[in-house]
Amino acid sequence: MAKDYVVLCLDVGVSMNIAPPDGGETHLEAALAVAKQIIQQKMFAGSKDIVGLVLFGTTDTDNDLAGPDGCYENISSVWKPAPPNMELLKLVHEKITPGDPNVSADFIDALVVSMDMMVKATKEARKTGEKRIYLLSDLGSGYSDDGLDTICTGLKNQGIELVVVGPDLDGASGDDGGG
């Protein structure tokens, strides 16, 4: 049976940490709950699926694409693709904290880092099942759409499905005056 490959790309930036006026959970808390649910599902289903974790909006930069030119900053590959286990679940449950309010990261760059992680993880695989990147974000960080067409083509050519999970993304119509 072919393994499914999943990369969770999680936004820990400042917009994810704003408490709603009603006192409900922050977007980060909701995203962490989704991440935990995905990990638990993979763990307890007894599958041999592979999960990786990328955080963006972090103070540190730790990913394979970062270089001295400043690209891919504030993005951290915190869990290299491997079968999910209790250590990963504990990391998501206890160790992921809101990023520094003075730091931001481009979610498009984080997506590229996630794609790179996926491609490297599946390169040697004889047979792969589904390949999926979950972008868990409110898309509140700034971004540059340079190369967006290339990224979309890369996702398609690699057979990677992109799933964007966030608050009110289906209702986003630009009513807030943002662009």
Side-chain angles (χ1 to χ4, degrees), residues 82-151:
N85 58 28
M86 290 304 289
E87 185 180 349
L88 174 60
L89 196 56
K90 184 175 180 177
L91 183 146
V92 171
H93 187 70
E94 297 176 2
K95 306 232 186 232
I96 295 178
T97 58
D100 184 317
N102 299 315
V103 169
S104 67
D106 186 324
F107 72 83
I108 300 293
D109 284 352
L111 182 57
V112 172
V113 170
S114 298
M115 287 174 55
D116 179 67
M117 178 184 276
M118 178 74 73
V119 168
K120 288 176 180 173
T122 59
K123 186 169 70 168
E124 301 297 323
R126 288 184 139 147
K127 186 176 179 184
T128 62
E130 294 179 352
K131 296 187 279 186
R132 189 172 291 134
I133 295 173
Y134 287 90
L135 177 61
L136 305 167
S137 176
D138 62 0
L139 306 180
S141 63
Y143 68 94
S144 169
D145 61 5
D146 293 344
L148 190 57
D149 291 337
T150 304
I151 294 166

Side-chain angles (χ1 to χ4, degrees), residues 18-27 29:
I18 298 170
D22 66 1
E25 67 184 2
T26 66
H27 296 164
E29 291 167 335

Side-chain angles (χ1 to χ4, degrees), residues 58-82:
T58 58
T59 304
D60 296 328
T61 299
D62 181 14
N63 67 76
D64 291 346
L65 300 179
D69 58 358
C71 289
Y72 306 103
E73 284 187 332
N74 306 109
I75 302 169
S76 298
S77 300
V78 296
W79 186 267
K80 300 294 183 189

